[in-house]
Amino acid sequence: MQLNDIIGILKQVYNKYDNIKLGIAGSYANNAQNTSSDIDVVIEGDSMRVDIVDYIKSLFDITVDVLWVDLMKKEDEALDRFAKENRLPINKYSAYKTIMQEVRWI
């Protein structure tokens, strides 16, 4: 499966759900996938609805990880606050920050 195939399939999700933004991260976004790669789908908006996750996963024959940007952002901001309060360095390579740098929005 190639990135364009995934994008084509994910566009179907917009026909069913309108309050979200979809993207692809990980190996497929970086064109580094192999036969054991999963698909990392990034979702922004609509607060973690299970039906959206189930629908996206049903569209593929390989493993799909669904990453909710809103939740990851809140967690990252809390960790950054904790680091500042305790005079620790901010983690520039958190999962949220890494995903936001590599995500390819559809």
Side-chain angles (χ1 to χ4, degrees), residues 5 54 62 105:
D5 301 324
D54 291 342
I62 63 175
W105 295 106

Side-chain angles (χ1 to χ4, degrees), residues 21-95:
K21 182 178 177 183
L22 295 173
I24 301 167
S27 60
Y28 280 97
N30 296 313
N31 199 29
Q33 72 274 12
N34 59 47
T35 56
S36 64
S37 293
D38 62 357
I39 300 171
D40 296 306
V41 176
V42 179
I43 300 178
E44 183 175 59
D46 225 349
S47 65
M48 297 179 47
R49 290 178 43 190
V50 175
D51 59 321
I52 297 172
V53 174
D54 291 342
Y55 180 64
I56 290 170
K57 288 183 175 189
S58 75
L59 297 173
F60 296 94
D61 292 332
I62 63 175
T63 304
V64 176
D65 289 332
V66 177
L67 310 167
W68 292 90
V69 169
D70 302 334
L71 179 63
M72 294 176 71
K73 181 179 181 182
K74 286 179 187 177
E75 182 179 88
D76 192 63
E77 288 171 346
L79 290 171
D80 286 353
R81 257 190 322 276
F82 177 82
K84 286 178 186 176
E85 290 167 2
N86 292 284
R87 296 188 175 139
L88 298 168
I90 302 285
N91 181 359
K92 296 177 185 177
Y93 306 103
S94 67

Side-chain angles (χ1 to χ4, degrees), residues 22-26 29 40 42 69 98-105:
L22 295 173
I24 301 167
D40 296 306
V42 179
V69 169
T98 301
I99 287 168
M100 293 312 291
Q101 289 177 359
E102 73 181 22
V103 67
R104 295 187 60 172
W105 295 106

